[in-house]
Amino acid sequence: MVKKNTVKKESNEEQRGRRDFIVVASYAMAGIGAAAVAWPLIDQMNPAADTLALASIEVDISKIEVGQAITVKWRGKPVFIKHRTEDEINSAQSVELSQLKDPQADVERVINPQFLVMVGVCTHLGCVPLGQKTGEIRGEYDGWFCPCHGSHYDSSGRIRKGPAPLNLEIPPYQFASNSLIKIG
Amino acid sequence: MSTNKFSNPVVRWIDHRLPIFSFMDHELNEYPTPKNLNYFWNFGSLAGISLVIMIVTGIVLAMSYTPHVDHAFQSVERIMRDVNHGWLIRYIHMNGASFFFIVVFIHIFRGLYYGSYKAPRELLWILGVLILLLMMATAFMGYVLPWGQMSFWGATVITNLFSAIPLVGDSIVTMLWGGFSVDNPTLNRFFALHYLMPFLIVGVVILHLVALHRFGSNNPIGIDPSGPQDTVPFHPYYTIKDFFGLSVFLSLFAAAIFFFPNFMGHPDNYIPANPMQTPAHIVPEWYFLPFYAILRAVPDKLGGVLAMFGAIAVLFILPWLDRSPIRSGNFRPIFRIFFWVFAADCVALGYLGGMPAEGIYVVLSRVATAWYFLHFLVILPLLSVIETPKPLPQSLSKSVLGGTAMVGAASAVKEKI
Amino acid sequence: MMKWRTALIFCWITFVTNVFAAGSGDVVLKHKDWSFNGPFGTLDKAAMQRGFQAYREICASCHSLDYIAFRNLSDLGYSEAEIKAFASEYEVEDGPNDDGEMFMRPGIAADRFPAPYPNEAAARAGNGGAYPPDLSLITKARANGPDYLYSLLTSYKEPPSDKDVPDGMYYNAAYPGNLIAMPQPIYGEDVTYADGSPADVSSISSDLVYFLTWTAEPSIEKRKRTGVKVMIFLLIMVGMSYGAMKFIWADVKKV
């Protein structure tokens, strides 16, 4: 193990090339390895398997009277399900699209016009609008009203007045039967 | 330190105001390092990397862990089952503790053999012992968090050590627990402290590095480099060597994580904590076993606790116990024998700590404990007086001539000290 | 010199860790060559499905499986529809409903297996004071878990004449102390397997070991598969960094 102290010059270009290659390749491997390890550390922040398993729910809507609404929890957020009256359906359908801030026809927002299903989170800054329970303020358009910053939604959940930029979001859902909807 | 050495203008601009690049260049790039370091000098950087691995995986685990007696065990199982890659991250953290201790123990024994604690590196050594103490506290509190049977009973036994303190012992233990037994308040504060202490370790590690860079690394010959011909710049020579060492380390580490992740753990910790029932054999994690053996060797509660803490305390004063001016064990024929006897003694203590405290094991534990203290308090001071060292080489480069009596060098070292 | 120092350290670690791996002590276990052993080990899905059936028909009346949800059964090779069907066979407590009452509903895939007893006290009361442990982690919570479980299930014997077996206890050659509160659970032909596999004591026990090894660590197969890849990568890195180190150090004569 004991050798003399002399520093040899690289004898030729070829050897230097080989040397540089293997050195760079080694450090490159370290980089790849670090990136491969980084992914699990980041991905662990995504929803876990038990959270994802609850990502869809089934709701029985047969007991909602005309004019009544229920709120169910889906992915930690309130989902409004409203059994609309004929008047509400008519007024929602008769609005001119040109009057809307976020133009969308009522038929695009429902599967069955009697039941309006939407995420009850104001598109402004995330508060929950009022209007679900009888007696709550429903805003100037007889739909929902967000008390935080005064956004008014109509009976189709569309933004009509106030700072919110978009209509209330429609979650992905389908009718499993006439009385059962599956959200998510 | 001229700022002109950086070609990138942004780097130059920053460095002129905040000389961070000059600092890094000086300490990590050109930093002159003895060129004769062997692989035992890899374990310092490995320890640093282990610390980083533990902190990163620990922070990530804390995102899914719940420090509450009703949820802790379940939240760990949720990490193992439902959190994305959670099993991998937790196994890294769990085995990482053991590997961190393996690395640090080798690092310490390297220092013991090559006399790295001697002048002018006494504070460097003391900071290292402080890191060991902090690591032990951190590891102990971390082991409590999964709230399995071993967690609970380990916490109970170790916190009860403090009840040995005369007069105020019981009050101290009640305060540590935040109640009348190990319970939810205990778990909560252990989590808080387990999260905090690694960052204290980082702080002490920085001081450890500052102290190291003051005089540079010791080396297997144990004499100071006499000039540039004895050293190489840290980069690329030791960066690549540390990288090679890291690759080997990671291979062993990965083998443990992926193929026997529970080998160094205890099956009882997969049983949720039950304050009504102690497991048949309770043992601490393997890295505590030598100290546990010392604790049990003394047939007196306070005495045992003092002996155990004394076993670490004695390391703090080691630089003043071993007065021999020769650093490296390679040139100390008698020391060398006693070093290996001491190493075997530590292994024996580790073995005895895992054995039941009965019969022959008690006797052997006492002998091994006595030897542990004898080594530090009697043998080392005595050897520094009576031992005749082998002649030292004149310089690191000329150590090839080591055989041809360089008596002058030995006295030269003495003068320096 | 260096080699035996390293060897010494590793001996110590191995030795010391073996010492407490040998927790359950004084009984000799039967060793089986499980398919999940070794770095390339895999789980046997057919055996796991049989073990699942055996768990439901034999063990589930006393032992809970707290950490397993029905959705996890997809690991055993069941389809989403089959899992829904399994889940709906169980009644799960939910609520409170709008009247503030808890109510029972059929299970869904996201539910965990309902426990046979509402709490530990009830479990003890129903089993003469003994608590049937949760089985989710049983193979990890016992030293040499798979062998231990297999041995335990297949070692119910007539007690030797000098052994006094009190009421409510049973003789088991594999249990530490030989007296166990669990009556012999498997006698052979306790279940009828759809695939016509043998249902003797040994086969059912073995199937249960496969199932409960999976419940203890559903990621075991993934862990080993990932491990092989990681090891290959790291060994290449060892080789390359060694080569790079030799190249870089070639122009320095070492002392």
Side-chain angles (χ1 to χ4, degrees):
Chain A
M1 288 305 286
V2 184
K3 289 175 195 167
K4 267 195 297 179
N5 168 45
T6 52
V7 179
K8 242 193 302 179
K9 289 259 148 46
E10 282 291 338
S11 48
N12 58 51
E13 283 301 307
E14 191 187 324
Q15 199 185 349
R16 165 153 289 190
R18 275 217 328 257
R19 168 192 145 146
D20 289 350
F21 170 76
I22 194 159
V23 171
V24 169
S26 308
Y27 285 126
M29 269 197 99
I32 295 166
V37 173
W39 172 240
L41 297 175
I42 295 163
D43 189 37
Q44 56 84 24
M45 287 202 264
N46 276 318
D50 57 339
T51 312
L52 290 174
L54 287 170
S56 71
I57 55 164
E58 288 180 348
V59 184
D60 181 4
I61 54 170
S62 61
K63 293 194 184 105
I64 311 173
E65 303 285 337
V66 176
Q68 298 289 306
I70 61 165
T71 307
V72 295
K73 196 172 163 190
W74 172 71
R75 296 187 182 172
K77 292 179 286 194
V79 167
F80 294 168
I81 303 174
K82 170 114 192 194
H83 193 162
R84 296 192 292 185
T85 61
E86 283 301 317
D87 284 351
E88 284 169 333
I89 297 171
N90 289 338
S91 73
Q93 287 175 344
S94 60
V95 178
E96 292 286 332
L97 287 190
S98 57
Q99 294 175 10
L100 297 173
K101 192 171 180 180
D102 177 17
Q104 196 179 23
D106 186 62
V107 288
E108 292 171 43
R109 294 177 56 80
V110 289
I111 295 173
N112 172 351
Q114 286 182 312
F115 289 97
L116 177 65
V117 180
M118 59 192 183
V119 178
V121 174
C122 180
T123 56
H124 179 220
L125 291 171
C127 295
V128 178
L130 298 173
Q132 282 292 91
K133 298 195 187 95
T134 40
E136 278 184 355
I137 305 165
R138 295 184 154 192
E140 293 172 19
Y141 296 85
D142 199 28
W144 287 266
F145 171 71
C146 182
C148 290
H149 307 96
S151 291
H152 300 254
Y153 296 91
D154 67 12
S155 58
S156 187
R158 290 172 297 198
I159 180 66
R160 301 297 289 273
K161 187 181 172 189
L166 297 170
N167 303 332
L168 290 177
E169 183 196 343
I170 306 296
Y173 71 97
Q174 59 201 21
F175 279 81
S177 72
N178 278 337
S179 61
L180 195 68
I181 59 170
K182 188 183 175 202
I183 305 173
Chain B
M1 238 181 275
S2 126
T3 49
N4 291 340
K5 65 181 148 195
F6 302 106
S7 54
N8 186 322
V10 179
V11 170
R12 214 180 309 147
W13 187 90
I14 294 173
D15 198 72
H16 185 64
R17 287 148 182 86
L18 177 73
I20 182 96
F21 295 101
S22 292
F23 173 80
M24 291 199 310
D25 188 55
H26 184 66
E27 301 299 336
L28 299 173
N29 187 13
E30 37 181 54
Y31 177 59
T33 312
K35 59 183 183 176
N36 60 332
L37 301 186
N38 60 29
Y39 284 118
F40 283 103
W41 265 263
N42 276 65
F43 288 89
S45 75
L46 287 180
I49 291 165
S50 301
L51 178 61
V52 171
I53 292 174
M54 294 305 282
I55 289 179
V56 169
T57 52
I59 289 173
V60 160
L61 285 172
M63 293 181 189
S64 299
Y65 170 77
T66 311
H68 186 286
V69 290
D70 292 339
H71 304 288
F73 189 89
Q74 198 190 350
S75 73
V76 171
E77 276 309 311
R78 182 172 172 273
I79 290 171
M80 292 297 288
R81 290 157 194 273
D82 287 335
V83 172
N84 301 317
H85 315 283
W87 60 270
L88 174 62
I89 299 164
R90 192 220 168 193
Y91 275 154
I92 292 175
H93 198 73
M94 192 174 128
N95 286 280
S98 286
F99 274 79
F100 196 0
F101 273 100
I102 292 172
V103 164
V104 163
F105 283 154
I106 295 174
H107 187 63
I108 291 171
F109 274 88
R110 189 268 286 153
L112 287 174
Y113 181 82
Y114 291 109
S116 301
Y117 47 83
K118 294 186 184 181
R121 297 188 180 85
E122 299 96 323
L123 282 178
L124 173 61
W125 171 262
I126 286 172
L127 288 166
V129 179
L130 196 59
I131 293 171
L132 175 67
L133 262 182
L134 287 170
M135 274 177 69
M136 292 172 75
T138 311
F140 159 66
M141 287 190 273
Y143 195 59
V144 176
L145 302 185
W147 208 242
Q149 273 288 66
M150 279 295 163
S151 301
F152 182 86
W153 292 102
T156 301
V157 169
I158 301 296
T159 47
N160 264 315
L161 290 180
F162 293 93
S163 69
I165 302 168
L167 301 176
V168 292
D170 286 331
S171 318
I172 290 181
V173 173
T174 305
M175 190 187 70
L176 286 177
W177 286 341
F180 304 102
S181 63
V182 174
D183 207 335
N184 198 47
T186 327
L187 179 60
N188 255 288
R189 63 192 58 183
F190 277 20
F191 178 59
L193 293 173
H194 181 72
Y195 205 123
L196 166 73
M197 295 190 72
F199 298 99
L200 299 183
I201 296 178
V202 169
V204 185
V205 165
I206 291 171
L207 295 180
H208 192 67
L209 287 174
V210 171
L212 171 71
H213 282 233
R214 178 73 180 83
F215 295 103
S217 295
N218 184 26
N219 64 77
I221 308 285
I223 60 174
D224 294 328
S226 53
Q229 76 281 4
D230 288 347
T231 63
V232 290
F234 191 83
H235 181 77
Y237 295 99
Y238 284 106
T239 38
I240 191 69
K241 193 172 177 182
D242 280 346
F243 178 44
F244 168 64
L246 176 66
S247 308
V248 174
F249 168 75
L250 287 180
S251 303
L252 296 172
F253 188 21
I257 291 164
F258 290 107
F259 302 125
F260 15 83
N262 294 305
F263 181 72
M264 287 184 275
H266 196 293
D268 276 349
N269 226 26
Y270 283 109
I271 303 171
N274 179 356
M276 296 294 124
Q277 194 180 18
T278 312
H281 303 280
I282 74 158
V283 276
E285 288 283 83
W286 69 267
Y287 36 81
F288 291 139
L289 288 176
F291 304 101
Y292 193 57
I294 292 174
L295 168 76
R296 297 193 309 184
V298 182
D300 172 72
K301 190 170 172 181
L302 180 60
V305 174
L306 288 178
M308 190 178 76
F309 285 108
I312 296 175
V314 75
L315 293 173
F316 280 108
I317 54 166
L318 174 61
W320 296 276
L321 293 172
D322 178 5
R323 304 291 302 174
S324 167
I326 311 297
R327 293 197 190 106
S328 172
N330 283 349
F331 301 97
R332 301 182 61 192
I334 310 176
F335 167 83
R336 203 173 153 139
I337 295 166
F338 280 108
F339 171 84
W340 289 109
V341 173
F342 174 72
D345 187 55
C346 290
V347 174
L349 281 169
Y351 169 73
L352 293 165
M355 288 286 121
E358 56 196 33
I360 184 74
Y361 297 125
V362 177
V363 181
L364 289 174
S365 299
R366 290 184 186 158
V367 173
T369 301
W371 186 265
Y372 183 95
F373 288 103
L374 201 69
H375 178 82
F376 285 112
L377 299 176
V378 178
I379 295 170
L380 287 183
L382 210 59
L383 279 185
S384 11
V385 180
I386 60 169
E387 187 181 35
T388 315
K390 286 201 242 171
L392 285 173
Q394 210 156 30
S395 79
L396 298 184
S397 306
K398 289 187 181 144
S399 65
V400 64
L401 305 169
T404 58
M406 298 286 177
V407 190
S411 54
V413 170
K414 245 178 201 155
E415 275 161 32
K416 242 182 240 170
I417 297 159
Chain C
M1 192 66 172
M2 203 134 89
K3 261 183 201 154
W4 75 263
R5 285 180 217 174
T6 321
L8 195 75
I9 288 153
F10 272 87
C11 282
W12 179 38
I13 294 158
T14 315
F15 201 25
V16 153
T17 42
N18 273 336
V19 169
F20 35 84
S24 66
D26 43 1
V27 288
V28 181
L29 300 180
K30 301 174 186 176
H31 293 287
K32 268 197 99 175
D33 194 12
W34 306 107
S35 74
F36 49 77
N37 286 348
F40 302 99
T42 52
L43 288 164
D44 179 344
K45 279 189 181 163
M48 277 155 53
Q49 292 197 358
R50 292 195 299 272
F52 172 51
Q53 185 185 346
Y55 165 76
R56 288 204 298 162
E57 294 176 18
I58 302 169
C59 321
S61 54
C62 300
H63 290 279
S64 55
L65 201 60
D66 287 347
Y67 298 108
I68 296 295
F70 295 107
R71 65 187 157 83
N72 298 132
L73 293 171
S74 61
D75 290 3
L76 271 55
Y78 290 114
S79 70
E80 204 174 322
E82 284 171 307
I83 290 170
K84 259 192 159 167
F86 284 133
S88 62
E89 288 171 25
Y90 289 81
E91 288 281 302
V92 178
E93 190 177 47
D94 200 349
N97 61 13
D98 295 345
D99 303 324
E101 308 282 335
M102 301 303 281
F103 59 94
M104 301 302 280
R105 60 160 173 80
I108 58 168
D111 288 322
R112 293 176 192 281
F113 274 84
Y117 299 101
N119 51 55
E120 183 178 332
R124 283 190 190 278
N127 289 282
Y131 177 51
D134 183 77
L135 292 185
S136 328
L137 279 162
I138 203 77
T139 57
K140 270 164 96 178
R142 300 288 182 275
N144 304 311
D147 285 338
Y148 168 78
L149 182 61
Y150 178 77
S151 306
L152 185 83
L153 292 174
T154 55
S155 296
Y156 280 90
K157 291 197 177 91
E158 280 300 308
S161 49
D162 60 333
K163 185 89 182 177
D164 188 29
V165 181
D167 260 5
M169 297 298 269
Y170 305 87
Y171 184 83
N172 187 305
Y175 191 70
N178 298 132
L179 291 176
I180 186 169
M182 173 170 72
Q184 180 169 356
I186 305 168
Y187 288 91
E189 312 308 324
D190 312 73
V191 287
T192 310
Y193 287 136
D195 62 0
S197 291
D200 53 289
V201 175
S202 165
S203 304
I204 294 179
S205 305
S206 162
D207 292 339
L208 275 168
V209 169
Y210 275 101
F211 176 63
L212 292 174
T213 298
W214 167 76
T215 63
E217 190 173 354
S219 56
I220 183 171
E221 214 177 90
K222 197 174 175 195
R223 163 161 68 79
K224 294 188 173 190
R225 259 189 285 123
T226 315
V228 171
K229 286 182 221 156
V230 170
M231 289 310 292
I232 291 169
F233 179 88
L234 285 173
L235 291 176
I236 294 172
M237 198 161 99
V238 167
M240 289 187 47
S241 56
Y242 183 77
M245 181 178 72
K246 285 291 153 193
F247 268 116
I248 287 179
W249 279 84
D251 54 3
V252 179
K253 290 291 179 190
K254 270 195 249 172
V255 178

